[in-house]
Amino acid sequence: MIRKVNISSGGEVEVFGNPAPLGLLGLAISCAALVPVAFGNNAFTPEGAINPAPFATAAVFALLFGGICQLISGIMNFANRNAFGGTIFTAFAFNWFITAGTFIAVAKGWPVDHATVLATEIILFVAFIFLTYGFGFFSSTLFLFLLDIDLLYVCKIAKGFTHNPVIAAWLMKGIGVFTLLLGLIGLWLALAGLLNPVCGRPLFRIGGPLFKPSTRPAFDFGIRRAIFEYLYYHWKSSGFGEVSIEQLKAELAQKLPSAAATEVIPEILYLWEYGCLKLTLVNGDDPGKGAEVESLRLTSGGIDLYEQLILRKYEG
Protein backbone atom coordinates (compact mmCIF):
# COMPACT_ATOMS: atom_id res chain seq x y z
CA MET A 1 0.00 0.00 0.00
CA ILE A 2 1.30 3.45 -0.89
CA ARG A 3 1.64 5.69 2.15
CA LYS A 4 1.07 9.38 1.53
CA VAL A 5 3.79 11.43 3.19
CA ASN A 6 2.87 14.37 5.43
CA ILE A 7 5.94 16.57 5.59
CA SER A 8 4.45 19.06 8.06
CA SER A 9 4.81 18.59 11.79
CA GLY A 10 1.75 17.97 13.89
CA GLY A 11 2.01 21.42 15.47
CA GLU A 12 1.54 23.11 12.11
CA VAL A 13 -1.79 21.48 11.30
CA GLU A 14 -4.56 24.04 11.79
CA VAL A 15 -7.66 22.99 13.70
CA PHE A 16 -9.80 25.69 12.08
CA GLY A 17 -9.75 27.55 8.81
CA ASN A 18 -8.34 31.08 8.70
CA PRO A 19 -10.21 32.91 11.50
CA ALA A 20 -8.80 36.37 10.73
CA PRO A 21 -11.54 37.42 8.25
CA LEU A 22 -14.20 36.85 10.92
CA GLY A 23 -12.48 39.17 13.37
CA LEU A 24 -11.67 41.76 10.73
CA LEU A 25 -15.19 41.79 9.34
CA GLY A 26 -16.55 42.24 12.85
CA LEU A 27 -14.14 45.12 13.38
CA ALA A 28 -15.21 46.79 10.13
CA ILE A 29 -18.90 46.62 11.06
CA SER A 30 -18.20 47.90 14.57
CA CYS A 31 -16.17 50.82 13.25
CA ALA A 32 -19.02 51.70 10.89
CA ALA A 33 -21.38 51.81 13.88
CA LEU A 34 -19.02 54.16 15.76
CA VAL A 35 -18.44 56.62 12.92
CA PRO A 36 -21.74 58.59 13.30
CA VAL A 37 -21.09 59.04 17.02
CA ALA A 38 -17.47 60.04 16.41
CA PHE A 39 -18.57 62.75 13.97
CA GLY A 40 -21.29 63.89 16.36
CA ASN A 41 -24.13 62.93 14.03
CA ASN A 42 -27.30 62.96 16.16
CA ALA A 43 -25.17 62.31 19.25
CA PHE A 44 -26.54 65.36 21.04
CA THR A 45 -29.94 66.98 21.28
CA PRO A 46 -30.49 70.59 20.14
CA GLU A 47 -30.21 71.57 23.79
CA GLY A 48 -26.74 69.99 24.00
CA ALA A 49 -27.75 66.97 26.06
CA ILE A 50 -26.56 63.47 25.15
CA ASN A 51 -28.89 61.58 22.83
CA PRO A 52 -28.83 58.01 24.19
CA ALA A 53 -30.07 56.26 21.01
CA PRO A 54 -26.84 56.48 18.91
CA PHE A 55 -24.69 55.41 21.85
CA ALA A 56 -26.93 52.47 22.77
CA THR A 57 -27.16 51.32 19.15
CA ALA A 58 -23.40 51.56 18.60
CA ALA A 59 -22.86 49.65 21.85
CA VAL A 60 -24.85 46.67 20.54
CA PHE A 61 -22.72 46.49 17.37
CA ALA A 62 -19.52 46.95 19.37
CA LEU A 63 -20.53 44.14 21.71
CA LEU A 64 -21.62 41.62 19.06
CA PHE A 65 -19.39 42.32 16.07
CA GLY A 66 -16.42 43.95 17.77
CA GLY A 67 -16.27 41.93 20.97
CA ILE A 68 -17.77 38.52 20.28
CA CYS A 69 -16.55 38.14 16.67
CA GLN A 70 -13.01 39.03 17.63
CA LEU A 71 -13.10 36.85 20.75
CA ILE A 72 -14.13 33.86 18.63
CA SER A 73 -11.42 34.72 16.12
CA GLY A 74 -8.82 34.99 18.88
CA ILE A 75 -9.74 31.63 20.41
CA MET A 76 -9.61 29.99 16.98
CA ASN A 77 -6.17 31.51 16.38
CA PHE A 78 -4.94 30.07 19.67
CA ALA A 79 -6.35 26.68 18.67
CA ASN A 80 -4.39 26.98 15.42
CA ARG A 81 -1.25 27.63 17.53
CA ASN A 82 -1.05 31.22 16.32
CA ALA A 83 -0.14 33.05 19.52
CA PHE A 84 0.37 36.40 17.79
CA GLY A 85 -3.03 36.44 16.08
CA GLY A 86 -4.75 34.94 19.11
CA THR A 87 -3.35 37.58 21.45
CA ILE A 88 -4.23 40.44 19.10
CA PHE A 89 -7.82 39.41 18.43
CA THR A 90 -8.56 38.41 22.02
CA ALA A 91 -7.17 41.67 23.42
CA PHE A 92 -9.08 43.64 20.80
CA ALA A 93 -12.24 41.76 21.76
CA PHE A 94 -12.03 42.85 25.39
CA ASN A 95 -11.25 46.38 24.27
CA TRP A 96 -14.48 46.31 22.27
CA PHE A 97 -16.34 45.00 25.33
CA ILE A 98 -15.05 48.04 27.25
CA THR A 99 -16.14 50.34 24.41
CA ALA A 100 -19.61 48.78 24.41
CA GLY A 101 -19.87 49.11 28.18
CA THR A 102 -18.75 52.73 28.07
CA PHE A 103 -21.32 53.57 25.41
CA ILE A 104 -24.05 51.88 27.44
CA ALA A 105 -22.99 53.90 30.48
CA VAL A 106 -23.16 57.12 28.46
CA ALA A 107 -26.58 56.19 27.09
CA LYS A 108 -27.86 55.42 30.60
CA GLY A 109 -26.34 58.53 32.09
CA TRP A 110 -23.99 56.57 34.33
CA PRO A 111 -20.70 58.27 35.27
CA VAL A 112 -17.52 57.26 33.42
CA ASP A 113 -14.12 57.98 34.98
CA HIS A 114 -12.19 59.63 32.16
CA ALA A 115 -8.88 59.43 34.07
CA THR A 116 -9.14 55.64 34.14
CA VAL A 117 -10.06 55.50 30.47
CA LEU A 118 -7.15 57.81 29.58
CA ALA A 119 -4.66 55.70 31.55
CA THR A 120 -5.70 52.54 29.71
CA GLU A 121 -5.56 54.33 26.37
CA ILE A 122 -1.95 55.33 27.05
CA ILE A 123 -0.99 51.73 27.85
CA LEU A 124 -2.78 50.48 24.75
CA PHE A 125 -1.04 53.10 22.63
CA VAL A 126 2.37 51.91 23.85
CA ALA A 127 1.41 48.31 23.07
CA PHE A 128 0.13 49.27 19.62
CA ILE A 129 3.42 50.98 18.77
CA PHE A 130 5.29 47.70 19.19
CA LEU A 131 2.53 45.68 17.52
CA THR A 132 2.73 47.99 14.51
CA TYR A 133 6.35 46.97 14.11
CA GLY A 134 5.36 43.31 14.45
CA PHE A 135 2.65 43.60 11.81
CA GLY A 136 5.26 44.97 9.42
CA PHE A 137 6.69 41.45 9.25
CA PHE A 138 3.40 40.22 7.72
CA SER A 139 2.34 42.81 5.15
CA SER A 140 2.38 46.52 4.36
CA THR A 141 -1.43 46.71 4.62
CA LEU A 142 -1.40 45.21 8.11
CA PHE A 143 1.29 47.72 9.05
CA LEU A 144 -0.96 50.52 7.75
CA PHE A 145 -3.86 48.99 9.69
CA LEU A 146 -1.96 49.25 12.99
CA LEU A 147 -0.55 52.67 12.09
CA ASP A 148 -4.12 53.92 11.72
CA ILE A 149 -4.87 52.60 15.21
CA ASP A 150 -1.78 54.41 16.53
CA LEU A 151 -2.99 57.70 15.07
CA LEU A 152 -6.48 57.07 16.40
CA TYR A 153 -5.08 56.68 19.90
CA VAL A 154 -2.92 59.78 19.51
CA CYS A 155 -6.12 61.74 18.91
CA LYS A 156 -7.89 60.06 21.83
CA ILE A 157 -5.04 60.69 24.26
CA ALA A 158 -4.59 64.29 23.10
CA LYS A 159 -8.32 64.86 23.53
CA GLY A 160 -8.09 63.45 27.04
CA PHE A 161 -5.44 65.98 28.00
CA THR A 162 -6.80 69.08 26.29
CA HIS A 163 -9.26 71.43 27.95
CA ASN A 164 -9.79 73.55 24.86
CA PRO A 165 -13.22 72.79 23.34
CA VAL A 166 -12.15 73.90 19.86
CA ILE A 167 -9.10 71.62 19.85
CA ALA A 168 -11.19 68.82 21.35
CA ALA A 169 -13.74 69.20 18.55
CA TRP A 170 -11.03 68.90 15.89
CA LEU A 171 -9.50 65.90 17.64
CA MET A 172 -12.94 64.29 17.70
CA LYS A 173 -13.13 64.71 13.94
CA GLY A 174 -9.71 63.08 13.68
CA ILE A 175 -11.01 60.16 15.75
CA GLY A 176 -13.92 59.88 13.33
CA VAL A 177 -11.65 59.90 10.28
CA PHE A 178 -9.26 57.29 11.67
CA THR A 179 -12.17 55.12 12.83
CA LEU A 180 -13.62 55.24 9.32
CA LEU A 181 -10.25 54.38 7.78
CA LEU A 182 -9.78 51.56 10.27
CA GLY A 183 -13.10 50.04 9.25
CA LEU A 184 -12.29 50.32 5.55
CA ILE A 185 -8.84 48.74 5.95
CA GLY A 186 -10.33 46.00 8.11
CA LEU A 187 -12.97 45.32 5.46
CA TRP A 188 -10.29 45.17 2.75
CA LEU A 189 -8.23 42.69 4.78
CA ALA A 190 -11.31 40.58 5.55
CA LEU A 191 -12.28 40.38 1.88
CA ALA A 192 -8.68 39.54 0.96
CA GLY A 193 -8.69 36.65 3.41
CA LEU A 194 -12.05 35.39 2.16
CA LEU A 195 -11.98 35.97 -1.60
CA ASN A 196 -8.32 35.73 -2.62
CA PRO A 197 -8.12 31.97 -1.89
CA VAL A 198 -11.46 31.40 -3.64
CA CYS A 199 -10.51 33.40 -6.74
CA GLY A 200 -7.03 31.94 -6.87
CA ARG A 201 -5.55 35.40 -7.39
CA PRO A 202 -4.93 38.51 -5.28
CA LEU A 203 -8.24 40.26 -5.94
CA PHE A 204 -7.61 42.36 -2.81
CA ARG A 205 -3.88 42.98 -2.61
CA ILE A 206 -2.36 43.27 0.85
CA GLY A 207 1.28 43.77 -0.08
CA GLY A 208 4.38 41.98 1.07
CA PRO A 209 6.15 42.36 4.41
CA LEU A 210 7.97 45.60 5.16
CA PHE A 211 10.51 43.88 7.41
CA LYS A 212 12.20 40.51 7.17
CA PRO A 213 13.15 38.42 10.19
CA SER A 214 16.65 37.09 10.54
CA THR A 215 16.78 33.56 9.18
CA ARG A 216 19.04 30.67 10.03
CA PRO A 217 20.90 28.94 7.18
CA ALA A 218 18.66 26.52 5.33
CA PHE A 219 19.44 22.81 5.29
CA ASP A 220 21.30 21.82 2.12
CA PHE A 221 19.39 19.05 0.37
CA GLY A 222 21.65 19.28 -2.70
CA ILE A 223 23.56 16.01 -2.35
CA ARG A 224 20.58 14.02 -1.11
CA ARG A 225 18.36 15.28 -3.91
CA ALA A 226 21.03 14.59 -6.53
CA ILE A 227 21.33 10.99 -5.28
CA PHE A 228 17.57 10.55 -5.50
CA GLU A 229 17.36 12.16 -8.92
CA TYR A 230 20.08 10.05 -10.52
CA LEU A 231 18.85 6.78 -9.04
CA TYR A 232 15.24 7.58 -9.92
CA TYR A 233 15.96 8.14 -13.60
CA HIS A 234 18.23 5.09 -13.59
CA TRP A 235 15.23 3.11 -12.33
CA LYS A 236 13.04 4.61 -15.06
CA SER A 237 15.45 3.39 -17.73
CA SER A 238 16.89 0.21 -16.22
CA GLY A 239 14.40 -1.02 -13.66
CA PHE A 240 15.82 -2.29 -10.40
CA GLY A 241 19.35 -2.81 -11.66
CA GLU A 242 21.93 -1.43 -9.25
CA VAL A 243 24.40 1.39 -9.89
CA SER A 244 28.01 1.09 -8.79
CA ILE A 245 29.14 3.52 -6.14
CA GLU A 246 31.91 4.78 -8.45
CA GLN A 247 29.38 5.55 -11.17
CA LEU A 248 27.19 7.46 -8.71
CA LYS A 249 30.15 9.44 -7.37
CA ALA A 250 31.25 10.36 -10.89
CA GLU A 251 27.74 11.57 -11.72
CA LEU A 252 27.51 13.62 -8.54
CA ALA A 253 30.95 15.13 -9.14
CA GLN A 254 29.65 16.55 -12.43
CA LYS A 255 26.51 18.01 -10.87
CA LEU A 256 27.93 18.95 -7.49
CA PRO A 257 31.68 19.60 -7.68
CA SER A 258 31.82 20.04 -3.91
CA ALA A 259 30.32 16.61 -3.25
CA ALA A 260 33.32 14.73 -1.88
CA ALA A 261 33.14 11.07 -1.00
CA THR A 262 33.08 11.93 2.69
CA GLU A 263 29.79 13.78 2.10
CA VAL A 264 28.19 11.22 -0.22
CA ILE A 265 28.64 8.08 1.89
CA PRO A 266 26.90 9.43 5.03
CA GLU A 267 23.95 10.52 2.87
CA ILE A 268 23.74 7.08 1.27
CA LEU A 269 23.85 5.32 4.63
CA TYR A 270 21.16 7.63 6.01
CA LEU A 271 18.85 6.90 3.07
CA TRP A 272 19.60 3.19 3.48
CA GLU A 273 18.61 3.27 7.15
CA TYR A 274 15.49 5.24 6.21
CA GLY A 275 14.49 2.49 3.79
CA CYS A 276 14.91 4.43 0.56
CA LEU A 277 17.95 2.54 -0.75
CA LYS A 278 19.00 -1.06 -1.17
CA LEU A 279 22.76 -1.48 -0.83
CA THR A 280 25.14 -4.23 -1.84
CA LEU A 281 28.01 -4.27 0.65
CA VAL A 282 31.46 -5.83 0.50
CA ASN A 283 33.85 -6.70 3.32
CA GLY A 284 30.99 -7.47 5.67
CA ASP A 285 27.42 -6.40 6.21
CA ASP A 286 27.88 -3.59 8.72
CA PRO A 287 29.18 -0.23 7.43
CA GLY A 288 30.08 0.64 11.00
CA LYS A 289 32.54 -2.26 11.07
CA GLY A 290 34.36 -1.72 7.81
CA ALA A 291 31.82 -2.85 5.21
CA GLU A 292 31.84 -0.73 2.05
CA VAL A 293 29.13 0.15 -0.44
CA GLU A 294 29.64 -1.56 -3.79
CA SER A 295 26.37 -0.73 -5.55
CA LEU A 296 22.92 0.60 -4.78
CA ARG A 297 19.44 1.32 -6.09
CA LEU A 298 16.20 2.92 -4.95
CA THR A 299 13.65 0.80 -3.14
CA SER A 300 9.95 1.07 -3.97
CA GLY A 301 9.58 3.25 -0.88
CA GLY A 302 12.38 5.52 -2.08
CA ILE A 303 10.75 5.83 -5.49
CA ASP A 304 7.43 6.72 -3.90
CA LEU A 305 9.05 9.27 -1.57
CA TYR A 306 10.81 11.00 -4.49
CA GLU A 307 7.60 11.12 -6.51
CA GLN A 308 5.66 12.61 -3.62
CA LEU A 309 8.12 15.19 -2.35
CA ILE A 310 9.81 16.22 -5.61
CA LEU A 311 7.39 15.33 -8.40
CA ARG A 312 4.31 16.15 -6.26
CA LYS A 313 2.33 13.26 -7.66
CA TYR A 314 -0.61 13.72 -5.28
CA GLU A 315 -1.06 17.39 -6.10
CA GLY A 316 -3.61 18.10 -8.81
Side-chain angles (χ1 to χ4, degrees):
M1 179 181 294
I2 296 177
R3 178 173 59 91
K4 189 172 181 179
V5 177
N6 180 11
I7 61 174
S8 64
S9 65
E12 296 174 350
V13 178
E14 294 187 344
V15 178
F16 299 104
N18 181 12
L22 171 64
L24 291 166
L25 191 59
L27 178 139
I29 295 171
S30 300
C31 286
L34 296 186
V35 166
V37 175
F39 281 111
N41 183 23
N42 200 32
F44 300 94
T45 65
E47 294 77 20
I50 291 176
N51 184 6
F55 289 92
T57 304
V60 173
F61 282 93
L63 176 65
L64 296 178
F65 287 96
I68 295 179
C69 277
Q70 294 204 358
L71 181 61
I72 294 172
S73 179
I75 293 172
M76 292 169 71
N77 269 285
F78 279 126
N80 286 347
R81 299 179 182 270
N82 180 359
F84 192 88
T87 302
I88 295 295
F89 278 111
T90 305
F92 267 58
F94 285 102
N95 195 31
W96 278 108
F97 289 145
I98 294 297
T99 300
T102 302
F103 273 45
I104 291 172
V106 171
K108 293 289 186 179
W110 299 337
V112 176
D113 185 15
H114 293 285
T116 302
V117 174
L118 180 60
T120 59
E121 287 175 345
I122 293 172
I123 291 297
L124 285 169
F125 173 69
V126 173
F128 287 139
I129 290 293
F130 290 99
L131 291 175
T132 302
Y133 173 70
F135 269 59
F137 287 93
F138 293 95
S139 82
S140 55
T141 307
L142 284 171
F143 181 85
L144 182 64
F145 178 75
L146 262 292
L147 182 61
D148 181 270
I149 294 177
D150 295 339
L151 296 174
L152 173 62
Y153 270 79
V154 167
C155 292
K156 294 175 74 172
I157 293 169
K159 181 177 177 294
F161 279 108
T162 187
H163 299 288
N164 187 316
V166 176
I167 296 176
W170 278 104
L171 289 171
M172 198 65 203
K173 292 183 184 296
I175 292 172
V177 169
F178 290 124
T179 301
L180 176 61
L181 288 175
L182 182 64
L184 292 175
I185 298 172
L187 180 61
W188 182 276
L189 290 169
L191 293 175
L194 289 171
L195 294 180
N196 287 358
V198 174
C199 299
R201 58 190 178 92
L203 189 63
F204 293 87
R205 297 184 180 274
I206 60 174
L210 293 178
F211 316 120
K212 293 184 178 180
S214 56
T215 56
R216 61 183 182 182
F219 181 80
D220 184 8
F221 283 96
I223 297 177
R224 193 172 300 174
R225 180 165 180 167
I227 293 171
F228 261 111
E229 186 175 273
Y230 178 72
L231 294 178
Y232 179 79
Y233 287 102
H234 174 78
W235 166 76
K236 294 282 285 186
S237 61
S238 305
F240 283 110
E242 294 190 359
V243 175
S244 69
I245 188 65
E246 289 78 12
Q247 185 179 350
L248 177 63
K249 287 181 179 179
E251 180 68 23
L252 294 182
Q254 294 179 3
K255 292 185 176 181
L256 303 168
S258 62
T262 54
E263 297 173 312
V264 173
I265 295 300
E267 292 285 348
I268 289 174
L269 295 179
Y270 165 78
L271 294 173
W272 174 53
E273 284 278 348
Y274 196 75
C276 296
L277 298 181
K278 179 183 181 302
L279 304 183
T280 297
L281 302 174
V282 294
N283 300 327
D285 57 3
D286 186 352
K289 296 181 179 180
E292 298 178 353
V293 179
E294 182 180 47
S295 59
L296 67 163
R297 66 170 175 84
L298 285 178
T299 63
S300 58
I303 293 168
D304 186 55
L305 185 67
Y306 180 81
E307 290 177 339
Q308 289 191 54
L309 299 185
I310 305 301
L311 303 183
R312 307 288 185 183
K313 70 176 181 179
Y314 288 124
E315 297 182 9

